[in-house]
Amino acid sequence: MLYAIMSQDSKDSLTKRMSVRPAHIERLNTLKNEGRLILAGPHPAIDNNEPGEAGFTGSLVVAEFDCLEEAQTWADADPYLASGAYESVIVKPFKRVLP
């Protein structure tokens, strides 16, 4: 089943994000290589794909897991959460309708 992992950044998270970004991306690439990643990306803090020092306000990952518990466990192990870049993370089942 698909799950949406919705993360909210802490205040001034950019430095924390950048310090662990390689490990964060590596985990996403593992899901991608396993054919389980539907989409992933951050929410820019301003209306620009390259927000610079404005940074990001959170992230969205939609991926396939066997169950909600597995998705939550994966989300809880995110380096962004451990570094304090994420203030909170919500994991919900996701039903893809389109496309």
Side-chain angles (χ1 to χ4, degrees):
M1 180 165 188
L2 295 179
Y3 294 88
I5 301 168
M6 301 163 287
S7 307
Q8 182 69 37
D9 275 28
S10 60
K11 185 175 170 138
D12 300 320
S13 63
L14 188 57
T15 301
K16 293 173 186 171
R17 273 178 168 266
M18 298 313 294
S19 71
V20 294
R21 187 171 190 273
H24 173 79
I25 296 298
E26 181 179 337
R27 295 176 79 239
L28 292 171
N29 277 326
T30 297
L31 288 178
K32 178 184 166 196
N33 293 340
E34 292 171 351
R36 298 168 45 201
L37 183 65
I38 304 303
L39 65 90
H43 301 287
I46 60 174
D47 192 13
N48 191 310
N49 279 333
E50 300 296 332
E53 291 183 14
F56 303 93
T57 62
S59 300
L60 171 65
V61 174
V62 177
E64 185 177 342
F65 293 92
D66 288 336
C67 63
L68 179 59
E69 182 179 350
E70 182 184 325
Q72 186 69 59
T73 298
W74 186 90
D76 289 344
D78 195 304
Y80 282 176
L81 186 60
S83 74
Y86 285 164
E87 180 176 287
S88 63
V89 178
I90 296 172
V91 180
K92 292 183 175 185
F94 181 80
K95 180 181 175 184
R96 184 175 182 168
V97 175
L98 294 170

Coordinates of all heavy atoms in Angstrom, one line a residue:
M1 N 0.8 -1.2 0.0 CA 0.0 0.0 0.0 C 0.9 1.2 0.0 O 2.0 1.2 0.5 CB -0.9 0.0 1.2 CG -1.8 1.2 1.3 SD -3.1 0.9 2.5 CE -4.1 2.4 2.1
L2 N 0.3 2.3 -0.5 CA 1.1 3.6 -0.5 C 0.8 4.3 0.8 O -0.3 4.3 1.4 CB 0.6 4.5 -1.7 CG 1.0 3.9 -3.1 CD1 0.5 4.9 -4.2 CD2 2.5 3.7 -3.2
Y3 N 1.8 5.1 1.2 CA 1.8 6.0 2.4 C 2.3 7.3 2.0 O 3.3 7.4 1.3 CB 2.5 5.3 3.5 CG 1.8 4.0 4.0 CD1 2.2 2.8 3.4 CD2 0.8 4.1 4.9 CE1 1.5 1.7 3.7 CE2 0.2 2.9 5.3 CZ 0.5 1.7 4.7 OH -0.1 0.5 5.0
A4 N 1.7 8.4 2.6 CA 2.2 9.7 2.5 C 2.9 10.0 3.8 O 2.3 9.9 4.9 CB 1.0 10.7 2.2
I5 N 4.1 10.5 3.7 CA 4.9 10.9 4.8 C 5.1 12.4 4.7 O 5.8 12.9 3.8 CB 6.3 10.1 4.8 CG1 6.0 8.6 4.9 CG2 7.1 10.6 6.0 CD1 7.2 7.8 4.6
M6 N 4.4 13.1 5.6 CA 4.4 14.6 5.5 C 5.1 15.1 6.7 O 4.8 14.9 7.9 CB 2.9 15.0 5.5 CG 2.1 14.5 4.3 SD 0.4 14.6 4.5 CE 0.1 13.3 5.8
S7 N 6.2 15.9 6.4 CA 7.1 16.4 7.5 C 7.0 17.9 7.5 O 6.9 18.6 6.5 CB 8.5 16.0 7.2 OG 8.6 14.6 7.0
Q8 N 7.1 18.4 8.7 CA 7.1 19.9 9.0 C 8.5 20.2 9.5 O 8.9 19.6 10.5 CB 6.0 20.2 10.0 CG 5.9 21.7 10.3 CD 5.4 22.5 9.1 OE1 4.5 22.0 8.4 NE2 5.9 23.7 8.9
D9 N 9.1 21.2 8.9 CA 10.4 21.6 9.4 C 10.4 22.4 10.7 O 9.4 23.1 10.9 CB 11.1 22.5 8.3 CG 11.9 21.6 7.3 OD1 11.4 20.5 7.0 OD2 12.8 22.1 6.7
S10 N 11.4 22.3 11.4 CA 11.6 23.2 12.6 C 12.1 24.6 12.1 O 12.4 24.7 10.9 CB 12.6 22.6 13.6 OG 13.9 22.5 12.9
K11 N 12.0 25.5 13.0 CA 12.5 26.9 12.6 C 14.0 26.8 12.3 O 14.8 26.2 12.9 CB 12.2 27.8 13.7 CG 12.5 29.3 13.4 CD 12.1 30.2 14.5 CE 12.7 31.5 14.2 NZ 11.9 32.6 14.4
D12 N 14.4 27.6 11.2 CA 15.8 27.7 10.8 C 16.4 26.3 10.6 O 17.5 26.0 11.1 CB 16.6 28.5 11.8 CG 16.1 29.9 12.0 OD1 15.7 30.5 11.0 OD2 16.0 30.4 13.1
S13 N 15.7 25.5 9.8 CA 16.1 24.1 9.6 C 17.2 23.9 8.5 O 17.8 22.8 8.4 CB 14.9 23.2 9.2 OG 14.4 23.7 8.0
L14 N 17.5 24.9 7.7 CA 18.3 24.7 6.5 C 19.7 24.1 6.9 O 20.1 23.1 6.2 CB 18.5 26.0 5.7 CG 19.2 25.8 4.4 CD1 18.4 24.8 3.5 CD2 19.2 27.2 3.7
T15 N 20.4 24.6 7.9 CA 21.7 24.1 8.2 C 21.6 22.7 8.7 O 22.5 21.8 8.3 CB 22.3 25.0 9.3 OG1 22.4 26.3 8.9 CG2 23.7 24.5 9.7
K16 N 20.6 22.3 9.4 CA 20.4 21.0 9.9 C 20.1 20.0 8.7 O 20.7 18.9 8.7 CB 19.3 20.9 10.9 CG 19.6 21.6 12.2 CD 18.4 21.6 13.1 CE 18.7 22.5 14.3 NZ 17.5 22.7 15.1
R17 N 19.3 20.5 7.8 CA 19.0 19.7 6.6 C 20.3 19.4 5.8 O 20.5 18.3 5.5 CB 18.0 20.5 5.7 CG 16.6 20.3 5.9 CD 15.8 21.2 4.9 NE 14.4 20.9 5.0 CZ 13.8 20.0 4.2 NH1 14.5 19.4 3.2 NH2 12.5 19.8 4.3
M18 N 21.0 20.4 5.6 CA 22.2 20.3 4.7 C 23.3 19.4 5.4 O 24.0 18.6 4.7 CB 22.9 21.6 4.4 CG 21.9 22.6 3.6 SD 21.1 21.8 2.2 CE 22.5 21.5 1.1
S19 N 23.3 19.3 6.7 CA 24.3 18.5 7.4 C 24.1 17.0 7.2 O 25.0 16.2 7.3 CB 24.4 18.9 8.9 OG 23.2 18.4 9.6
V20 N 22.8 16.6 7.0 CA 22.5 15.2 6.9 C 21.9 14.8 5.5 O 21.4 13.7 5.3 CB 21.6 14.7 8.0 CG1 22.4 14.8 9.4 CG2 20.3 15.5 8.1
R21 N 21.8 15.8 4.6 CA 21.2 15.6 3.3 C 21.7 14.3 2.6 O 20.8 13.6 2.1 CB 21.3 16.8 2.4 CG 20.5 16.7 1.2 CD 20.4 18.0 0.4 NE 19.5 18.0 -0.7 CZ 19.7 17.5 -1.9 NH1 20.9 17.0 -2.2 NH2 18.8 17.5 -2.8
P22 N 23.0 14.1 2.5 CA 23.4 12.9 1.8 C 22.8 11.6 2.3 O 22.3 10.7 1.6 CB 24.9 12.9 2.0 CG 25.3 14.3 2.1 CD 24.1 14.9 2.9
A23 N 22.7 11.4 3.6 CA 22.1 10.3 4.2 C 20.6 10.2 4.0 O 20.0 9.1 3.7 CB 22.3 10.2 5.7
H24 N 19.9 11.4 4.0 CA 18.5 11.4 3.7 C 18.2 11.0 2.2 O 17.3 10.2 2.0 CB 18.0 12.9 3.9 CG 16.6 13.2 3.4 ND1 15.5 12.8 4.2 CD2 16.1 13.8 2.3 CE1 14.4 13.2 3.6 NE2 14.8 13.7 2.4
I25 N 19.0 11.5 1.3 CA 18.9 11.2 -0.1 C 19.2 9.7 -0.4 O 18.5 9.0 -1.2 CB 19.7 12.1 -1.0 CG1 19.3 13.6 -0.9 CG2 19.8 11.6 -2.5 CD1 17.9 13.8 -1.4
E26 N 20.2 9.2 0.3 CA 20.5 7.8 0.2 C 19.3 6.8 0.5 O 19.1 5.9 -0.2 CB 21.7 7.4 1.1 CG 22.2 6.0 1.0 CD 23.4 5.7 1.9 OE1 24.1 6.6 2.2 OE2 23.5 4.5 2.2
R27 N 18.6 7.2 1.6 CA 17.4 6.4 1.9 C 16.4 6.5 0.9 O 15.7 5.5 0.6 CB 16.9 6.9 3.3 CG 17.8 6.7 4.4 CD 17.3 7.2 5.7 NE 16.3 6.3 6.3 CZ 15.1 6.6 6.5 NH1 14.6 7.8 6.3 NH2 14.3 5.7 7.0
L28 N 16.2 7.7 0.3 CA 15.2 7.8 -0.8 C 15.6 7.0 -2.0 O 14.8 6.4 -2.7 CB 15.0 9.3 -1.1 CG 14.3 10.1 0.0 CD1 14.3 11.6 -0.3 CD2 12.8 9.7 0.2
N29 N 16.9 7.1 -2.3 CA 17.4 6.3 -3.5 C 17.2 4.8 -3.3 O 16.9 4.1 -4.3 CB 18.8 6.7 -3.8 CG 18.9 7.9 -4.6 OD1 18.1 8.2 -5.4 ND2 20.0 8.7 -4.3
T30 N 17.3 4.3 -2.1 CA 17.0 2.9 -1.8 C 15.6 2.6 -2.2 O 15.3 1.6 -2.8 CB 17.4 2.6 -0.3 OG1 18.8 2.8 -0.1 CG2 17.0 1.1 0.0
L31 N 14.7 3.4 -1.7 CA 13.2 3.2 -2.0 C 13.1 3.2 -3.6 O 12.3 2.4 -4.1 CB 12.3 4.2 -1.4 CG 12.1 4.1 0.1 CD1 11.3 5.3 0.6 CD2 11.5 2.8 0.5
K32 N 13.7 4.2 -4.2 CA 13.6 4.3 -5.7 C 14.1 3.1 -6.4 O 13.5 2.5 -7.3 CB 14.4 5.6 -6.1 CG 14.4 5.8 -7.6 CD 15.2 7.0 -8.0 CE 15.5 7.0 -9.4 NZ 16.6 7.8 -9.8
N33 N 15.3 2.6 -6.0 CA 15.9 1.5 -6.6 C 15.1 0.2 -6.4 O 15.1 -0.7 -7.2 CB 17.3 1.3 -6.1 CG 18.3 2.4 -6.5 OD1 18.0 3.1 -7.5 ND2 19.3 2.6 -5.8
E34 N 14.3 0.2 -5.3 CA 13.4 -1.0 -5.0 C 12.1 -0.8 -5.7 O 11.2 -1.7 -5.6 CB 13.2 -1.1 -3.5 CG 14.4 -1.5 -2.7 CD 14.3 -1.4 -1.2 OE1 13.2 -0.8 -0.8 OE2 15.2 -1.9 -0.5
G35 N 11.9 0.3 -6.5 CA 10.6 0.5 -7.2 C 9.5 0.9 -6.3 O 8.3 0.8 -6.7
R36 N 9.8 1.4 -5.1 CA 8.7 1.7 -4.1 C 8.5 3.2 -3.9 O 7.5 3.6 -3.3 CB 9.1 1.1 -2.7 CG 9.2 -0.4 -2.8 CD 9.9 -1.0 -1.6 NE 9.4 -0.4 -0.3 CZ 10.1 -0.5 0.8 NH1 11.2 -1.1 0.9 NH2 9.6 0.0 1.9
L37 N 9.3 4.1 -4.5 CA 9.2 5.5 -4.3 C 8.3 6.1 -5.5 O 8.6 5.9 -6.6 CB 10.5 6.2 -4.3 CG 10.5 7.7 -4.1 CD1 10.0 8.1 -2.7 CD2 11.9 8.3 -4.3
I38 N 7.2 6.8 -5.1 CA 6.4 7.4 -6.1 C 6.8 8.8 -6.3 O 6.9 9.3 -7.5 CB 4.9 7.4 -5.6 CG1 4.4 6.0 -5.3 CG2 4.0 8.1 -6.6 CD1 4.5 5.0 -6.5
L39 N 7.0 9.6 -5.3 CA 7.6 10.9 -5.4 C 8.1 11.4 -4.0 O 7.8 10.8 -3.0 CB 6.5 11.9 -5.8 CG 5.3 12.2 -4.9 CD1 5.6 13.3 -4.0 CD2 4.1 12.5 -5.8
A40 N 9.0 12.3 -4.1 CA 9.6 12.9 -2.9 C 10.2 14.3 -3.2 O 10.7 14.5 -4.2 CB 10.7 12.0 -2.4
G41 N 10.0 15.2 -2.2 CA 10.6 16.5 -2.3 C 10.2 17.4 -1.2 O 9.3 17.1 -0.4
P42 N 10.9 18.5 -1.1 CA 10.7 19.5 -0.1 C 9.7 20.6 -0.5 O 9.4 20.7 -1.7 CB 12.0 20.1 0.1 CG 12.6 20.1 -1.3 CD 12.1 18.8 -1.9
H43 N 9.2 21.3 0.5 CA 8.3 22.4 0.3 C 9.1 23.7 0.5 O 9.5 24.0 1.6 CB 7.1 22.4 1.3 CG 6.3 21.2 1.2 ND1 5.4 21.0 0.2 CD2 6.2 20.2 2.1 CE1 4.8 19.8 0.4 NE2 5.2 19.3 1.6
P44 N 9.5 24.4 -0.6 CA 10.2 25.7 -0.5 C 9.5 26.7 0.4 O 8.2 26.8 0.3 CB 10.4 26.2 -1.9 CG 10.2 24.9 -2.8 CD 9.2 24.1 -2.0
A45 N 10.2 27.4 1.2 CA 9.6 28.4 2.1 C 9.1 29.6 1.3 O 8.3 30.4 1.8 CB 10.6 28.9 3.1
I46 N 9.6 29.8 0.1 CA 9.1 30.9 -0.8 C 8.7 30.3 -2.1 O 9.0 29.1 -2.4 CB 10.2 32.0 -1.0 CG1 11.5 31.4 -1.6 CG2 10.5 32.7 0.4 CD1 12.5 32.4 -2.0
D47 N 8.1 31.1 -2.9 CA 7.5 30.7 -4.2 C 8.7 30.6 -5.3 O 8.7 31.4 -6.2 CB 6.4 31.6 -4.7 CG 5.6 31.1 -5.8 OD1 5.7 29.9 -6.2 OD2 4.9 31.9 -6.4
N48 N 9.6 29.6 -5.0 CA 10.7 29.5 -5.9 C 11.3 28.1 -5.7 O 11.4 27.6 -4.6 CB 11.8 30.5 -5.5 CG 12.9 30.7 -6.6 OD1 13.5 29.7 -7.0 ND2 13.2 31.9 -6.9
N49 N 11.6 27.4 -6.8 CA 12.2 26.1 -6.8 C 13.6 26.1 -6.1 O 14.0 25.1 -5.6 CB 12.4 25.5 -8.1 CG 11.1 24.9 -8.6 OD1 10.2 24.5 -7.8 ND2 10.9 24.8 -9.9
E50 N 14.3 27.2 -6.1 CA 15.6 27.4 -5.4 C 15.5 28.5 -4.4 O 15.8 29.6 -4.6 CB 16.6 27.7 -6.5 CG 16.8 26.7 -7.6 CD 17.3 25.4 -7.1 OE1 18.0 25.3 -6.0 OE2 17.0 24.3 -7.7
P51 N 15.0 28.1 -3.2 CA 14.7 29.2 -2.2 C 15.9 29.8 -1.5 O 15.7 30.7 -0.7 CB 13.8 28.4 -1.2 CG 14.2 27.0 -1.3 CD 14.6 26.8 -2.7
G52 N 17.1 29.2 -1.7 CA 18.3 29.8 -1.1 C 18.2 29.7 0.4 O 17.7 28.8 1.0
E53 N 18.6 30.8 1.0 CA 18.6 30.9 2.5 C 17.2 30.9 3.1 O 17.1 30.6 4.3 CB 19.3 32.2 2.9 CG 20.8 32.1 2.6 CD 21.6 33.3 3.1 OE1 21.0 34.1 3.9 OE2 22.7 33.5 2.7
A54 N 16.1 31.1 2.3 CA 14.8 31.0 2.9 C 14.5 29.5 3.3 O 13.7 29.3 4.2 CB 13.8 31.4 1.9
G55 N 15.1 28.6 2.7 CA 15.0 27.2 3.0 C 13.7 26.5 2.7 O 13.0 26.9 1.7
F56 N 13.3 25.6 3.5 CA 12.1 24.8 3.3 C 11.2 24.7 4.5 O 11.7 25.0 5.6 CB 12.6 23.4 2.9 CG 13.4 23.4 1.7 CD1 14.8 23.4 1.8 CD2 12.9 23.4 0.4 CE1 15.6 23.5 0.7 CE2 13.7 23.5 -0.7 CZ 15.1 23.5 -0.6
T57 N 10.0 24.4 4.3 CA 9.0 24.3 5.4 C 8.6 22.9 5.8 O 8.0 22.6 6.7 CB 7.7 25.1 5.1 OG1 7.1 24.5 4.0 CG2 8.0 26.6 4.9
G58 N 9.1 22.0 5.0 CA 8.7 20.6 5.2 C 9.0 19.7 3.9 O 9.6 20.2 3.0
S59 N 8.5 18.5 3.9 CA 8.7 17.6 2.8 C 7.6 16.6 2.7 O 6.8 16.5 3.6 CB 10.0 16.7 3.1 OG 11.1 17.5 3.2
L60 N 7.5 16.1 1.5 CA 6.5 15.0 1.2 C 7.1 13.9 0.6 O 7.9 14.0 -0.4 CB 5.4 15.6 0.3 CG 4.4 14.6 -0.2 CD1 3.5 14.0 0.9 CD2 3.5 15.2 -1.3
V61 N 6.9 12.7 1.1 CA 7.3 11.4 0.4 C 6.1 10.6 0.3 O 5.3 10.4 1.2 CB 8.4 10.7 1.3 CG1 8.7 9.3 0.7 CG2 9.6 11.5 1.5
V62 N 5.9 10.0 -0.9 CA 4.9 9.0 -1.1 C 5.6 7.8 -1.6 O 6.3 7.8 -2.6 CB 3.8 9.5 -2.2 CG1 2.8 8.4 -2.4 CG2 3.1 10.8 -1.7
A63 N 5.4 6.7 -0.9 CA 6.1 5.4 -1.1 C 5.3 4.2 -0.7 O 4.4 4.4 0.1 CB 7.5 5.4 -0.4
E64 N 5.7 3.1 -1.2 CA 5.0 1.8 -0.9 C 5.7 1.1 0.2 O 6.9 1.0 0.3 CB 5.0 0.9 -2.1 CG 4.3 -0.3 -2.0 CD 4.3 -1.2 -3.2 OE1 4.5 -0.7 -4.3 OE2 4.0 -2.4 -3.1
F65 N 4.9 0.7 1.2 CA 5.3 -0.1 2.3 C 4.3 -1.2 2.6 O 3.2 -1.1 2.1 CB 5.4 0.8 3.6 CG 6.5 1.8 3.5 CD1 6.2 3.1 3.1 CD2 7.8 1.5 3.9 CE1 7.2 4.1 3.0 CE2 8.8 2.5 3.8 CZ 8.5 3.8 3.4
D66 N 4.7 -2.2 3.3 CA 3.8 -3.4 3.6 C 2.7 -3.0 4.5 O 1.6 -3.6 4.4 CB 4.6 -4.5 4.1 CG 5.5 -5.2 3.1 OD1 5.2 -5.1 1.9 OD2 6.4 -5.9 3.5
C67 N 2.9 -2.0 5.4 CA 1.9 -1.6 6.4 C 2.3 -0.3 7.0 O 3.4 0.2 6.8 CB 1.8 -2.7 7.5 SG 3.3 -2.9 8.5
L68 N 1.3 0.3 7.7 CA 1.5 1.6 8.3 C 2.6 1.6 9.3 O 3.5 2.5 9.3 CB 0.2 2.0 9.0 CG 0.2 3.4 9.7 CD1 0.6 4.5 8.8 CD2 -1.1 3.6 10.4
E69 N 2.8 0.5 10.1 CA 3.8 0.4 11.0 C 5.2 0.5 10.3 O 6.1 1.2 10.8 CB 3.7 -0.9 11.8 CG 4.8 -1.0 12.9 CD 4.6 -2.3 13.7 OE1 3.6 -3.0 13.6 OE2 5.6 -2.6 14.5
E70 N 5.4 -0.2 9.2 CA 6.6 -0.2 8.5 C 6.9 1.2 8.0 O 8.1 1.7 8.0 CB 6.6 -1.2 7.3 CG 7.9 -1.2 6.6 CD 7.8 -2.2 5.3 OE1 7.1 -3.2 5.4 OE2 8.5 -1.8 4.3
A71 N 5.9 1.9 7.4 CA 6.1 3.3 6.9 C 6.5 4.2 8.1 O 7.4 5.0 7.9 CB 4.8 3.7 6.2
Q72 N 5.8 4.0 9.2 CA 6.1 4.9 10.4 C 7.6 4.7 10.9 O 8.3 5.6 11.2 CB 5.1 4.7 11.5 CG 5.3 5.6 12.7 CD 4.9 7.0 12.3 OE1 3.8 7.3 11.9 NE2 5.9 7.9 12.5
T73 N 8.0 3.4 10.9 CA 9.3 3.1 11.3 C 10.3 3.7 10.4 O 11.4 4.2 10.8 CB 9.5 1.5 11.4 OG1 8.6 1.0 12.4 CG2 10.9 1.1 11.8
W74 N 10.1 3.6 9.1 CA 11.0 4.2 8.1 C 11.1 5.7 8.3 O 12.1 6.3 8.3 CB 10.5 3.9 6.7 CG 11.5 4.3 5.6 CD1 12.5 3.6 5.1 CD2 11.5 5.6 5.0 NE1 13.2 4.4 4.2 CE2 12.6 5.6 4.1 CE3 10.7 6.7 5.1 CZ2 12.9 6.7 3.3 CZ3 11.0 7.8 4.3 CH2 12.1 7.8 3.4
A75 N 9.9 6.3 8.5 CA 9.9 7.8 8.7 C 10.6 8.2 10.0 O 11.3 9.2 10.0 CB 8.4 8.3 8.7
D76 N 10.4 7.4 11.0 CA 11.0 7.8 12.3 C 12.6 7.7 12.2 O 13.2 8.3 13.1 CB 10.5 6.8 13.4 CG 9.1 7.1 13.8 OD1 8.6 8.2 13.4 OD2 8.5 6.2 14.4
A77 N 13.1 7.0 11.3 CA 14.6 6.8 11.2 C 15.2 7.8 10.2 O 16.4 7.7 9.9 CB 14.9 5.4 10.7
D78 N 14.4 8.8 9.8 CA 14.9 9.8 8.8 C 16.0 10.7 9.5 O 15.8 11.2 10.6 CB 13.8 10.7 8.3 CG 14.2 11.5 7.1 OD1 15.2 12.2 7.1 OD2 13.5 11.3 6.0
P79 N 17.1 10.8 8.8 CA 18.2 11.7 9.4 C 17.7 13.1 9.6 O 18.2 13.8 10.5 CB 19.3 11.7 8.3 CG 19.1 10.4 7.6 CD 17.6 10.2 7.6
Y80 N 16.8 13.6 8.8 CA 16.3 15.0 9.1 C 15.5 15.1 10.4 O 15.6 16.1 11.1 CB 15.3 15.4 7.9 CG 16.0 15.8 6.7 CD1 15.2 16.2 5.6 CD2 17.3 15.9 6.5 CE1 15.7 16.6 4.4 CE2 17.9 16.3 5.3 CZ 17.1 16.7 4.2 OH 17.7 17.1 3.1
L81 N 14.9 14.0 10.8 CA 14.2 14.0 12.1 C 15.2 13.9 13.2 O 15.2 14.7 14.2 CB 13.2 12.8 12.2 CG 12.3 12.7 13.4 CD1 11.4 14.0 13.5 CD2 11.4 11.5 13.3
A82 N 16.2 13.0 13.1 CA 17.2 12.9 14.1 C 18.1 14.1 14.3 O 18.5 14.5 15.4 CB 18.1 11.7 13.7
S83 N 18.3 14.9 13.2 CA 19.1 16.1 13.3 C 18.3 17.3 13.9 O 18.9 18.3 14.2 CB 19.6 16.5 11.9 OG 18.5 17.1 11.1
G84 N 17.0 17.2 14.0 CA 16.2 18.3 14.4 C 15.7 19.2 13.3 O 15.0 20.2 13.5
A85 N 16.0 18.8 12.0 CA 15.5 19.6 10.9 C 13.9 19.5 10.8 O 13.3 20.5 10.5 CB 16.1 19.2 9.6
Y86 N 13.4 18.3 11.1 CA 12.0 18.1 11.1 C 11.5 18.3 12.6 O 12.0 17.8 13.5 CB 11.6 16.7 10.7 CG 11.7 16.4 9.2 CD1 11.7 15.1 8.8 CD2 11.8 17.4 8.3 CE1 11.8 14.7 7.5 CE2 11.8 17.1 6.9 CZ 11.8 15.7 6.5 OH 11.9 15.4 5.2
E87 N 10.4 19.1 12.7 CA 9.7 19.3 13.9 C 8.7 18.2 14.2 O 8.5 17.7 15.3 CB 9.0 20.6 13.9 CG 8.3 21.0 15.1 CD 7.7 22.4 15.0 OE1 8.5 23.4 15.1 OE2 6.5 22.6 14.8
S88 N 8.1 17.7 13.1 CA 7.0 16.7 13.2 C 6.9 15.9 11.9 O 7.3 16.5 10.8 CB 5.7 17.3 13.6 OG 5.2 18.2 12.6
V89 N 6.4 14.7 12.0 CA 6.2 13.8 10.9 C 4.9 13.1 11.0 O 4.6 12.6 12.1 CB 7.3 12.8 10.7 CG1 7.1 11.9 9.5 CG2 8.7 13.5 10.5
I90 N 4.1 13.2 10.0 CA 2.8 12.5 10.0 C 2.8 11.4 8.9 O 3.2 11.8 7.7 CB 1.6 13.4 9.8 CG1 1.5 14.4 10.9 CG2 0.3 12.6 9.6 CD1 0.5 15.5 10.7
V91 N 2.4 10.2 9.1 CA 2.4 9.1 8.1 C 0.9 8.7 8.0 O 0.3 8.4 9.0 CB 3.3 8.0 8.5 CG1 3.2 6.9 7.5 CG2 4.7 8.4 8.8
K92 N 0.4 8.7 6.8 CA -1.0 8.3 6.5 C -1.0 7.4 5.3 O -0.3 7.6 4.4 CB -1.8 9.5 6.2 CG -2.1 10.5 7.3 CD -3.0 11.6 6.9 CE -3.4 12.5 8.0 NZ -4.4 13.5 7.6
P93 N -2.0 6.4 5.3 CA -2.2 5.7 4.1 C -2.6 6.6 3.0 O -3.3 7.7 3.2 CB -3.4 4.7 4.5 CG -3.3 4.6 6.0 CD -2.8 6.0 6.4
F94 N -2.2 6.3 1.8 CA -2.5 7.1 0.6 C -3.1 6.3 -0.5 O -2.5 5.3 -0.9 CB -1.2 7.8 0.2 CG -1.3 8.7 -1.0 CD1 -1.8 10.0 -0.8 CD2 -1.0 8.3 -2.3 CE1 -1.9 10.9 -1.9 CE2 -1.1 9.1 -3.4 CZ -1.6 10.4 -3.2
K95 N -4.2 6.7 -1.0 CA -4.8 6.0 -2.2 C -4.6 6.9 -3.4 O -5.1 8.0 -3.6 CB -6.3 5.8 -2.0 CG -7.0 5.1 -3.1 CD -8.5 5.0 -2.9 CE -9.1 4.4 -4.1 NZ -10.5 4.3 -4.0
R96 N -3.8 6.3 -4.3 CA -3.5 7.0 -5.6 C -4.7 6.9 -6.5 O -5.2 5.7 -6.8 CB -2.3 6.4 -6.3 CG -1.9 7.1 -7.5 CD -0.6 6.5 -8.0 NE -0.1 7.2 -9.2 CZ 1.1 7.1 -9.7 NH1 1.9 6.3 -9.2 NH2 1.4 7.8 -10.8
V97 N -5.2 8.0 -7.0 CA -6.4 8.0 -7.9 C -5.9 8.4 -9.3 O -6.2 7.8 -10.3 CB -7.5 8.9 -7.4 CG1 -8.6 9.0 -8.4 CG2 -8.0 8.4 -6.1
L98 N -5.1 9.5 -9.4 CA -4.7 10.0 -10.7 C -3.2 10.3 -10.6 O -2.8 10.8 -9.5 CB -5.4 11.2 -11.1 CG -6.9 11.0 -11.5 CD1 -7.6 12.4 -11.6 CD2 -7.1 10.2 -12.7
P99 N -2.4 10.3 -11.6 CA -2.6 9.7 -12.9 C -2.5 8.2 -12.7 O -1.8 7.6 -11.9 CB -1.6 10.2 -13.8 CG -0.5 10.6 -12.9 CD -1.1 11.0 -11.6

